[in-house]
Amino acid sequence: MTNSINELEKDAKAIFVIGSNTTENHPVIGMKIKKNVLENGAKLVVADPRRTDLADLADVYMQHRPGTDVALLNGMMNVIISEGLADQDFIAANTEGYEAMAEVVAKYTPEYVETITGVPAADIRRAARLYAEAGAAVICYAMGLTQHSTGTDNVKSVCNLAMLTGNIGRPGTGVDPLRGQNNVQGACDMGGLPNVLTAYQQVANDAARAKFEEAWNVSLPAKPGLTLTETINKAHHGEMKALVIIGENPMMSDPDLHHVEEALEKLDFLVVQDIFMSETAKYADVVLPGACFAEKDGTFSNTERRVQRVRKAVDPPGQARVDWQIICDLATRMGYPMSYSSAEDIFEEMRKLTPSYAGMTYARLEGKGLQWPCPAEDHPGTPFLHKDGKFSRGKGAFSAIEFIEPRELPDGEYPLILTTGRSLFHYHTGTMTRRCVALDEHVPAAEVEINPALAGQLGIEDGEMVRLSTRRGSLEVKAKVTDILAEDVVFMTFHFAETAVNWLTNADSLDPVAKIPEYKVCAARLDKI
Amino acid sequence: MVTLTINGKQVQVPDGSTILQACRLHGIELPTLCYDPDLRLAGSCRMCIVEVKGRPLFLAACVAPAENGMVVETESPDIVQARKVILELLLARHGGKCLTCEKNGNCKLQDYCYQYGVSDTRYADGGRHHYPIDDPNPFIERDYNKCIMCTRCVRACEGITMARAINVKNRGHNAKIATAFDGNLADSPCVFCGQCIMVCPVGALTSKVSAGLGRAYEVEKVLTTCTYCGTGCTLELNVKDNRVVGVTSNRSADWSPVNRGALCVKGRFGWDFINSPERLPTPLIKENGEFREASWDEALDLVASRLQKIKEESGPDSMAVFTSARITNEENYLAQKFARAVLGTNNVDHCARL
Amino acid sequence: MAEELRIVLRNADKIDASNINDYIKAGGYTALEKARRMEPRAVIEEVKKANLRGRGGAGFNAGLKWSFVPPAETKYVVCNLDEGEPGTYKDRTIVQKDPQTLLEGMAICAHAIGSRQGYIYCRGEYPYLVEHLNNAIAQAKAAGVLGDFDIEVRMGGGAYVCGEETALIESIEGHRGEPRFKPPFPGVAGLWAQPTVVNNVETFANLPEIINKGADWFASIGAASYPGTKVLTLTGDVVNRIAIEVPTNTTIRQVIYEFGGGIRNGRKFKAVQIGGTSGGFIPESLLDTPIDFDSMRNIGATLGTGAVFVMDDTRDIVDIVTRIAKFFEHESCGKCNPCREGTFRCYEIMKKINRGAATARDIDNITVLARVMQKAALCGLGQAAPGPIMTTLQHFRHEYERKLLS
Ligand SMILES: Cc1cc2nc3c(=O)[nH]c(=O)nc-3n(C[C@H](O)[C@H](O)[C@H](O)COP(=O)(O)O)c2cc1C
Ligand code: SF4
Ligand code: SF4
Ligand code: SF4
Ligand code: FES
């Protein structure tokens, strides 16, 4: 997030939520948005193919066809430019590439966009005005925006919108991706990515690498590595020999599980470090028992870049070990001695190599934590980025982006759009929440949500078992009839191993840049059993 | 600044302070049941009453503004007697099953009865409610026989969670907390965040998941960060005998900067996986398609030698590490260091996009 | 012989109440015109000087109340026509017999405080008044006398406590009719948190004459500390069960014997309860007290709404007080502890005493409880509810003692 969570509760005068079912997936952030809307009169605009809780509260709700986000956003920008609502001073002072963007956006009139997205032109106009005229407006998005073959384009488009209206660099403004997992921000910050070391220092950059080589006393590869999906693909081709998986569950979370399964089976050697015998661990040659968050010290970085302490409360069960100790043992046995006395010891090494974390110490993190960048020990941390419109690379660059259809569209055989997501009561692949007695009792099984009209056509009653199929396969699942979806869209959560929807999703349609799979759109059909 | 006299001592407080704030600023504690600094004020329990010279009525300190020249007494004999009577009235209504109550030792009603020496009530010739305790939801026990009608739950639901699932129903002595049709929470807009449990001063609302696992005074609270979504809520793991028995939250903005005590259903009730019998206690090695238990030495040696061999035979880029959005920063740092420095490959990624 | 003095009821039965022209012919709306020629500040001063004190029970100087209204974009004038006191029908009488005097009074207030929107909160049991009032408002609008001041009639929630001004405001806002704590007073933050003047029907109805005849004229009538007249409704064991309007220095004895015609069936007087259900019980020995607010308070009684409930010597005081306790147990809104639990326990103990099962201890218990309720309850309902118990324990204790277990 460029800005901070608590700004959503008080500073933002308008909140544009796109592709985020905030009250279910980031419930506490959802509460803050609701508070701002209900108690302080902040305006709310929601764009989502599913009519979420927030949509019910919104001043303008736009139910766009899945995968048409770029068109919708271009349409809003078209209105803003043609009605003179753009912040010309901000654009002139802080950005570049405006003309090229404006040229593309010019043809996305609300009427044209209506034909693509299905959102009435009048709503696009109202949404654009509410956002542009608020004074302090923020965009919140989540996987609903990014899990598309055009995910990168979608994100660039929301950045365009924010820059166009000067909604950057002040409290209550900004572009706020709501990250779905407790430490996904931290995993990225720490260099858990194929192309960067910590704090996004490029592996291809000689100077950066040299710094790490010196600190680690080893020579480092310069060529960026493979992403997770590419790794699976390569394994599928039989070119990947060994895989070490720490606390991840691709056999639930990745698209097209047949493909993943075949890939894992082709590996020579698979090590899984986890706290449970996950769906993935079953394929392992060796399973190493790790520790959960309650059993170790350390830090997590949340979606607003706040680094906070994690504290050990209890011992891991049996012989299970804290994960960093396992990694150290393994490294040492492989001839690279790693030895740390504590998590803090590791943090101390890390921060010396990580400019945005350099000023943080465990002592300073006590209490409120710190938001990066925090480059020095006397730096207070950074609640919002791009203060006074300053971007890290000088000027903020507009991108001129054309709308591209999702990769796999409905056709005669698979006439519906399947889109996936989470429920309030479960988390990700369910490894933890399915083993929480109350959560699993409350929501014990997956459901496929279908519109009443579709249910009527197919003769399906609420609660009835149906068959959901895509080109990858099919599964039987209980139908939940609800009018929060358009007629040709069905929705399913991916928490349940018994009915794992990722057997059906598409591994072939990736975003070309981010390599993110298109979980939010694939062609599907529904049959009465 | 406002200057007033409290218990014979002249004090100064900022303009706009209530008498309660004035008292607390100067180290004078007042009993409060309905007051909650984060919630809409109710001024209804009347435990915080004080005597102000020249005023015929007692003033509820939590809502009464401190005014220049006020002469306030917080523990005068009349006030003490009034508080005792109020406590007795509450005891008469409260089906006090302290012996089995989850909140025993952590209950404001108990605390104030102790403080004011109220062990019994003059006003209990009947009229105790016998509400069924039968909401089948797996999270929240609702025992309104213990409810003292402070409405903090209602105000937390409406002002923190913004769910408006519950409200006051009926009037007078029959007033009770209920969903719109006095039904189950699952049939209301309730999202099972448990904010109502967090603010309930007595044992009327408690966690079913923690039931029977430990009293407040037996547990140690360890402040940490939630393991679920990316919001980064602070929570307290309640530990008894090296076992997590529940989750509570810290409401101070200084210790809970993001959520200030608010949690969602997963944060508050989704902790028992920690104690799941399915947790992996030992390393496992697969032999002939079956897992068998192994010692750490055996397992780690096996992993190290296999990886070493593959590295030598097929090169570092034939290996990859999936690190995790679930583990700590320190562990992620080491995991990528392991991939790059030990395996020698940049093939390291995690489920950031999934 | 004492005589009635009619200010608020000056047109009663003399004009056609459903025809604004009759009212105008009788001099109606000249006061509003006069007020509009005055600075708002001056109107407030005039009302303050007249010492017009609220006729809804609390007796607060109306002009003073208005003077607390801070500047704001939106302000409201609210007329309290909830009249929930059993045995009281004075507000209904005023509205039935002369609705325009209420509207004119509200408009004078609106001019004084700078409001463009008024509400009349009408008791749920008076549906026929709503039509009558709407007709009066329509005529006043048509005649153009109200200018840009709009008045809307809202139907009450049916609970006694909704007559309490902040509960009334909650009810107009569409919430549960529960009192708010004060301050902030409605004058500063009332309806939808905007400055709001709430006055009783009778209070408003006095205004036209005060503006027309001047503050000094009004201040010279009746008791000096509570000048003017009071409309009283006589009920119970009195010969004439009527509504009267008398100067406030009239004594209770005059009210009962001169206007009320004495006790029915030639029986002896035992007690009178004035002011409504929560009013104090007054014995024979105090009957020469004037009815004005302060004199009544000095004898531990209340003027309240001006209900006068007379009891003859056959009445069982403890039984009556038990029924009153039941009323409050039923009418407590349940928000605050002293009242929610207290009214319940008061009724419980009164029942016990009344059926002869109580001991002296119970009287001690109810006394302690009553004192706490009076001083610690959140709103006037809980504070006033023990009044009948306390005053009867003072003046008619023997009736309690007679019923105790020995
Ligand atoms: C329980 C309770 C009931 C009340 N009912 C009424 C009522 O029916 N009518 C009324 O005018 N005032 C009623 N009041 C008084 C109002 O709160 C308020 O004081 C009054 O409307 C102010 O108008 P006034 O100053 O003109 O008297 C009631 C007060 C309480 C505590
Ligand atoms: S659990 Fe949360 S939503 Fe449900 S009643 Fe309690 S506060 Fe409201
Ligand atoms: S349930 Fe608890 S918080 Fe809610 S009103 Fe009762 S005592 Fe107060
Ligand atoms: S005194 Fe009675 S009526 Fe008034 S707030 Fe308290 S409970 Fe409600
Ligand atoms: S704490 Fe002040 S009234 Fe309850």
Side-chain angles (χ1 to χ4, degrees):
Chain A
M1 285 169 61
T2 60
N3 289 54
S4 291
I5 290 169
N6 282 308
E7 293 172 24
L8 294 169
E9 181 175 280
K10 50 182 212 300
D11 300 308
K13 301 282 177 264
I15 304 171
F16 176 27
V17 176
I18 178 165
S20 160
N21 184 2
T22 322
T23 56
E24 296 215 44
N25 295 337
H26 300 85
V28 171
I29 295 178
M31 292 170 200
K32 291 175 194 277
I33 293 176
K34 283 175 95 169
K35 191 169 177 84
N36 202 351
V37 172
L38 289 168
E39 290 188 357
N40 309 332
K43 300 291 176 212
L44 180 65
V45 175
V46 172
D48 204 297
R50 276 174 94 216
R51 202 183 69 237
T52 57
D53 268 2
L54 284 186
D56 281 336
L57 199 71
D59 296 281
V60 182
Y61 167 50
M62 301 184 285
Q63 186 166 41
H64 59 307
R65 175 164 64 91
T68 60
D69 305 79
V70 165
L72 185 68
L73 292 162
N74 279 349
M76 286 175 69
M77 289 190 272
N78 179 291
V79 174
I80 288 168
I81 293 173
S82 63
E83 297 190 1
L85 302 175
D87 185 341
Q88 294 301 345
D89 295 342
F90 183 91
I91 294 168
N94 304 306
T95 68
E96 59 196 23
Y98 171 76
E99 282 73 20
M101 182 275 296
E103 203 173 305
V104 167
V105 160
K107 77 163 176 283
Y108 290 87
T109 62
E111 283 69 23
Y112 172 55
V113 171
E114 175 171 349
T115 64
I116 303 173
T117 60
V119 178
D123 288 349
I124 299 172
R125 289 202 166 86
R126 284 200 302 141
R129 290 174 196 146
L130 279 182
Y131 175 79
E133 293 177 338
V138 56
I139 306 173
C140 294
Y141 69 86
M143 292 303 186
L145 192 78
T146 53
Q147 288 179 338
H148 291 280
S149 52
T150 58
T152 306
D153 285 352
N154 294 351
V155 171
K156 285 182 178 163
S157 297
V158 292
C159 295
N160 282 347
L161 182 57
M163 288 193 294
L164 181 64
T165 50
N167 275 308
I168 290 278
R170 288 175 287 124
T173 66
V175 175
D176 290 350
L178 307 180
R179 313 219 54 175
Q181 303 177 53
N182 59 331
N183 201 30
V184 65
Q185 183 68 53
C188 295
D189 297 346
M190 291 302 105
L193 294 169
N195 56 335
V196 290
L197 293 145
T198 65
Y200 310 95
Q201 303 172 81
Q202 299 287 326
V203 293
N205 179 316
D206 294 340
R209 227 173 38 253
K211 182 170 82 175
F212 281 83
E213 285 175 335
E214 192 189 327
W216 292 352
N217 194 22
V218 67
S219 80
L220 292 174
K223 189 169 76 93
L226 302 175
T227 62
L228 190 144
T229 28
E230 289 170 325
T231 303
I232 297 284
N233 285 342
K234 196 166 169 193
H236 201 256
H237 293 136
E239 292 161 23
M240 190 54 71
K241 300 291 176 214
L243 186 53
V244 178
I245 301 182
I246 304 174
E248 292 276 281
N249 194 5
M251 266 312 292
M252 277 291 287
S253 61
D254 286 25
D256 191 356
L257 296 178
H258 300 277
H259 180 77
V260 183
E261 183 176 39
E262 284 163 18
L264 295 183
E265 280 170 346
K266 283 185 188 160
L267 290 169
D268 284 358
F269 190 59
L270 174 63
V271 185
V272 172
Q273 186 168 316
D274 209 310
I275 60 172
F276 287 110
M277 181 56 75
S278 66
E279 289 68 27
T280 304
K282 295 187 180 121
Y283 294 82
D285 296 288
V286 178
V287 179
L288 303 174
C292 78
F293 81 118
E295 296 151 359
K296 56 192 170 193
D297 285 306
T299 55
F300 289 157
S301 302
N302 78 350
T303 188
E304 57 171 358
R305 299 166 280 105
R306 189 186 298 273
V307 183
Q308 304 188 100
R309 279 298 315 279
V310 177
R311 292 183 185 79
K312 179 177 167 163
V314 293
D315 295 322
Q319 302 168 39
R321 282 197 197 167
V322 173
D323 297 77
W324 63 261
Q325 285 171 339
I326 302 173
I327 300 169
C328 289
D329 273 350
L330 206 52
T332 306
R333 275 167 217 253
M334 290 184 70
Y336 183 91
M338 274 193 199
S339 141
Y340 299 90
S341 60
S342 63
E344 184 173 8
D345 202 13
I346 305 170
F347 192 90
E348 283 298 313
E349 175 183 312
M350 177 277 292
R351 75 182 180 106
K352 295 197 176 71
L353 295 164
T354 310
S356 55
Y357 282 63
M360 299 181 192
T361 64
Y362 269 31
R364 289 194 72 199
L365 294 179
E366 203 61 18
K368 295 183 182 184
L370 283 164
Q371 285 171 281
W372 65 255
C374 176
E377 281 185 37
D378 57 1
H379 189 286
T382 309
F384 58 92
L385 303 176
H386 312 307
K387 191 163 193 264
D388 307 324
K390 292 201 178 58
F391 294 91
S392 44
R393 51 183 291 271
K395 296 220 163 199
F398 280 106
S399 319
I401 298 172
E402 294 280 3
F403 164 68
I404 305 170
E405 285 283 358
R407 210 65 62 81
E408 190 181 79
L409 289 174
D411 54 20
E413 199 183 347
Y414 295 99
L416 304 173
I417 295 174
L418 167 64
T419 184
T420 69
R422 288 183 182 169
S423 135
L424 168 64
F425 296 94
H426 285 285
Y427 178 70
H428 217 59
T429 68
T431 321
M432 295 185 287
T433 54
R434 294 296 310 282
R435 290 175 176 90
C436 290
V437 173
L439 293 172
D440 200 48
E441 179 186 327
H442 195 66
V443 178
E447 289 171 330
V448 60
E449 291 181 358
I450 64 174
N451 176 288
L454 178 63
Q457 263 169 40
L458 300 173
I460 293 168
E461 301 271 325
D462 189 55
E464 182 175 330
M465 292 301 283
V466 294
R467 184 181 319 284
L468 177 66
S469 323
T470 68
R471 291 196 169 77
R472 271 69 56 192
S474 74
L475 49 78
E476 288 182 10
V477 58
K478 198 153 84 165
K480 176 176 173 186
V481 179
T482 161
D483 63 1
I484 69 168
L485 288 162
E487 259 179 60
D488 55 348
V489 180
V490 297
F491 169 85
M492 210 175 137
T493 56
F494 62 98
H495 309 297
F496 300 89
E498 307 88 314
T499 37
V501 72
N502 280 327
W503 290 105
L504 309 188
T505 49
N506 190 352
D508 295 334
S509 52
L510 297 186
D511 178 88
V513 183
K515 313 288 183 196
I516 195 164
E518 192 150 46
Y519 290 107
K520 297 302 186 226
V521 190
C522 74
R525 64 176 294 120
L526 202 63
D527 296 287
K528 196 175 162 73
I529 312 179
Chain B
M1 291 298 265
V2 174
T3 308
L4 69 165
T5 307
I6 306 177
N7 298 347
K9 199 174 93 189
Q10 215 183 55
V11 298
Q12 287 207 317
V13 292
D15 289 336
S17 304
T18 61
I19 297 177
L20 178 67
Q21 286 166 334
C23 287
R24 293 197 168 158
L25 193 66
H26 292 280
I28 297 162
E29 214 15 75
L30 286 179
T32 58
L33 285 170
C34 70
Y35 174 73
D36 186 310
D38 295 341
L39 304 179
R40 180 168 58 76
L41 294 170
S44 64
C45 76
R46 318 305 280 181
M47 274 302 287
C48 67
I49 44 171
V50 294
E51 245 184 301
V52 177
K53 202 164 153 198
R55 303 286 177 106
L57 304 176
F58 298 148
L59 300 191
C62 66
V63 291
E67 291 168 16
N68 265 320
M70 267 185 169
V71 178
V72 179
E73 287 293 333
T74 68
E75 299 285 335
S76 67
D78 282 354
I79 288 292
V80 169
Q81 183 181 45
R83 290 199 188 123
K84 284 184 174 179
V85 167
I86 292 171
L87 287 169
E88 285 188 52
L89 289 171
L90 289 176
L91 276 189
R93 155 189 196 101
H94 181 84
K97 297 206 174 77
C98 293
L99 295 184
T100 51
C101 184
E102 288 296 323
K103 291 277 274 197
N104 185 30
N106 185 26
C107 166
K108 282 212 165 196
L109 185 61
Q110 271 190 350
D111 292 348
Y112 294 144
C113 283
Y114 178 77
Q115 184 180 338
Y116 289 97
V118 174
S119 60
D120 211 346
T121 173
R122 276 170 276 193
Y123 305 109
D125 282 354
R128 198 158 263 170
H129 293 292
H130 296 283
Y131 298 122
I133 309 163
D134 59 358
D135 192 316
N137 83 78
F139 309 105
I140 301 172
E141 186 80 290
R142 306 166 72 199
D143 181 355
Y144 291 124
N145 301 304
K146 293 177 180 168
C147 172
I148 57 165
M149 290 303 296
C150 68
T151 70
R152 281 163 71 156
C153 54
V154 173
R155 289 175 285 139
C157 187
E158 143 205 309
I160 299 177
T161 305
M162 316 304 293
R164 300 179 177 175
I166 46 177
N167 207 336
V168 180
K169 188 187 150 72
N170 302 337
R171 298 188 324 161
H173 189 248
N174 291 322
K176 69 173 288 207
I177 308 298
T179 63
F181 301 101
D182 202 359
N184 296 328
L185 285 177
D187 302 320
S188 79
C190 175
V191 292
F192 298 102
C193 63
Q195 254 69 273
C196 48
I197 297 180
M198 169 178 86
V199 297
C200 183
V202 297
L205 299 171
T206 52
S207 161
K208 285 186 182 176
V209 187
S210 295
L213 297 183
R215 292 263 174 69
Y217 49 83
E218 298 174 305
V219 303
E220 183 204 346
K221 292 183 175 180
V222 180
L223 203 69
T224 192
T225 305
C226 180
T227 186
Y228 293 115
C229 82
T231 306
C233 294
T234 305
L235 49 76
E236 295 165 338
L237 292 171
N238 290 199
V239 180
K240 183 184 168 192
D241 302 334
N242 196 27
R243 202 178 140 87
V244 175
V245 295
V247 160
T248 50
S249 52
N250 185 311
R251 302 184 54 197
S252 141
D254 289 336
W255 290 97
S256 180
V258 178
N259 52 313
R260 292 163 202 179
L263 292 173
C264 80
V265 63
K266 295 186 286 288
R268 201 177 293 278
F269 300 106
W271 49 266
D272 50 323
F273 76 88
I274 300 168
N275 306 323
S276 165
E278 293 178 55
R279 284 291 301 274
L280 298 173
T282 57
L284 301 170
I285 293 174
K286 198 181 265 170
E287 269 175 10
N288 309 319
E290 295 285 324
F291 283 115
R292 67 161 172 84
E293 292 187 357
S295 72
W296 274 107
D297 275 339
E298 184 187 8
L300 288 172
D301 281 341
L302 176 65
V303 174
S305 63
R306 290 295 304 272
L307 293 178
Q308 199 71 48
K309 187 143 174 280
I310 292 169
K311 181 177 177 181
E312 280 154 23
E313 286 173 358
S314 311
D317 287 337
S318 67
M319 298 184 288
V321 174
F322 290 174
T323 183
S324 175
R326 205 87 56 248
I327 60 177
T328 63
N329 285 325
E330 292 74 2
E331 290 164 340
N332 271 297
Y333 172 77
L334 287 195
Q336 58 95 30
K337 183 177 178 183
F338 176 79
R340 294 184 161 117
V342 183
L343 299 184
T345 178
N346 281 318
N347 292 341
V348 55
D349 200 4
H350 67 282
C351 64
R353 304 165 194 86
L354 312 182
Chain C
M1 180 80 189
E3 273 182 44
E4 277 202 63
L5 173 65
R6 294 195 160 196
I7 298 176
V8 303
L9 292 173
R10 64 191 180 283
N11 292 324
D13 305 322
K14 292 187 189 153
I15 62 169
D16 176 357
S18 62
N19 188 341
I20 191 173
N21 293 327
D22 268 27
Y23 180 70
I24 291 174
K25 262 187 247 148
Y29 286 107
T30 51
L32 179 57
E33 270 172 40
K34 182 174 171 192
R36 286 194 171 142
R37 286 192 304 268
M38 293 163 69
E39 279 296 312
R41 205 51 257 165
V43 176
I44 295 178
E45 281 311 316
E46 193 71 10
V47 174
K48 206 151 100 180
K49 204 163 97 194
N51 200 6
L52 169 64
R53 294 173 63 181
R55 286 344 193 212
F60 198 80
N61 182 312
L64 193 59
K65 187 190 277 190
W66 301 356
S67 72
F68 296 145
V69 171
E73 186 66 25
T74 313
K75 301 171 193 171
Y76 299 103
V77 174
V78 174
C79 171
N80 192 339
L81 171 50
D82 196 51
E83 196 152 68
E85 283 294 352
T88 307
Y89 54 90
K90 62 159 184 105
D91 295 337
R92 183 189 74 199
T93 306
I94 295 168
V95 170
Q96 273 178 324
K97 294 184 187 273
D98 193 7
Q100 296 295 346
T101 194
L102 168 60
L103 304 188
E104 186 176 3
M106 289 178 72
I108 290 169
C109 172
H111 171 67
I113 67 158
S115 161
R116 283 182 303 277
Q117 181 64 52
Y119 291 95
I120 299 173
Y121 186 83
C122 180
R123 181 175 184 199
E125 283 84 349
Y126 293 164
Y128 48 94
L129 279 194
V130 176
E131 206 184 316
H132 184 58
L133 275 168
N134 279 332
N135 176 42
I137 294 167
Q139 289 186 21
K141 278 266 131 190
V145 289
L146 293 182
D148 67 349
F149 182 55
D150 274 324
I151 303 178
E152 211 181 287
V153 184
R154 289 292 178 100
M155 202 63 165
Y160 174 70
V161 74
C162 288
E164 196 283 333
E165 54 187 6
T166 57
L168 180 155
I169 285 170
E170 287 281 320
S171 176
I172 294 183
E173 287 184 8
H175 304 138
R176 207 181 135 81
E178 260 183 12
R180 301 174 176 171
F181 56 80
K182 295 183 266 194
F185 290 92
V188 174
L191 253 187
W192 294 292
Q194 304 306 312
T196 304
V197 163
V198 183
N199 276 124
N200 174 254
V201 172
E202 189 182 343
T203 314
F204 283 123
N206 269 299
L207 291 166
E209 287 288 273
I210 291 177
I211 295 297
N212 267 336
K213 298 190 174 161
D216 294 337
W217 164 79
F218 188 81
S220 68
I221 299 167
S225 70
Y226 188 96
T229 58
K230 184 77 192 74
V231 181
L232 306 174
T233 48
L234 277 53
T235 57
D237 305 327
V238 65
V239 175
N240 305 323
R241 293 175 182 156
I242 51 169
I244 55 171
E245 182 177 356
V246 294
T248 52
N249 56 355
T250 310
T251 65
I252 307 170
R253 194 182 299 280
Q254 287 173 314
V255 169
I256 297 174
Y257 288 95
E258 298 184 17
F259 296 99
I263 310 301
R264 288 193 160 220
N265 306 324
R267 302 227 48 116
K268 268 186 68 193
F269 171 90
K270 184 186 239 177
V272 59
Q273 185 191 26
I274 299 187
T277 328
S278 60
F281 280 53
I282 298 160
E284 171 89 45
S285 59
L286 297 172
L287 286 187
D288 292 316
T289 313
I291 58 154
D292 74 87
F293 190 87
D294 300 295
S295 303
M296 293 295 280
R297 196 167 53 189
N298 289 341
I299 62 163
T302 45
L303 170 59
T305 56
V308 178
F309 173 54
V310 180
M311 288 158 270
D312 70 18
D313 58 353
T314 64
R315 298 274 189 164
D316 177 340
I317 293 286
V318 174
D319 191 58
I320 292 172
V321 174
T322 306
R323 268 184 274 153
I324 291 174
K326 179 178 182 180
F327 173 82
F328 285 114
E329 187 262 346
H330 184 257
E331 293 297 341
S332 166
C333 80
K335 179 167 176 167
C336 75
N337 283 328
C339 173
R340 177 189 353 96
E341 306 304 329
T343 53
F344 180 82
R345 298 299 162 188
C346 280
Y347 178 43
E348 201 173 55
I349 298 173
M350 284 306 304
K351 273 190 297 190
K352 194 174 170 193
I353 297 172
N354 197 28
R355 68 168 186 265
T359 64
R361 244 203 106 85
D362 290 299
I363 294 198
D364 290 346
N365 288 351
I366 202 169
T367 309
V368 170
L369 175 57
R371 287 212 189 97
V372 171
M373 290 168 67
Q374 287 181 319
K375 292 188 123 189
L378 187 152
C379 87
L381 190 151
Q383 291 156 10
I389 299 171
M390 295 300 271
T391 50
T392 51
L393 276 171
Q394 188 186 348
H395 301 300
F396 301 93
R397 197 176 183 91
H398 51 281
E399 300 218 6
Y400 284 79
E401 282 168 351
R402 230 181 17 230
K403 293 200 177 192
L404 295 184
L405 289 173
S406 42

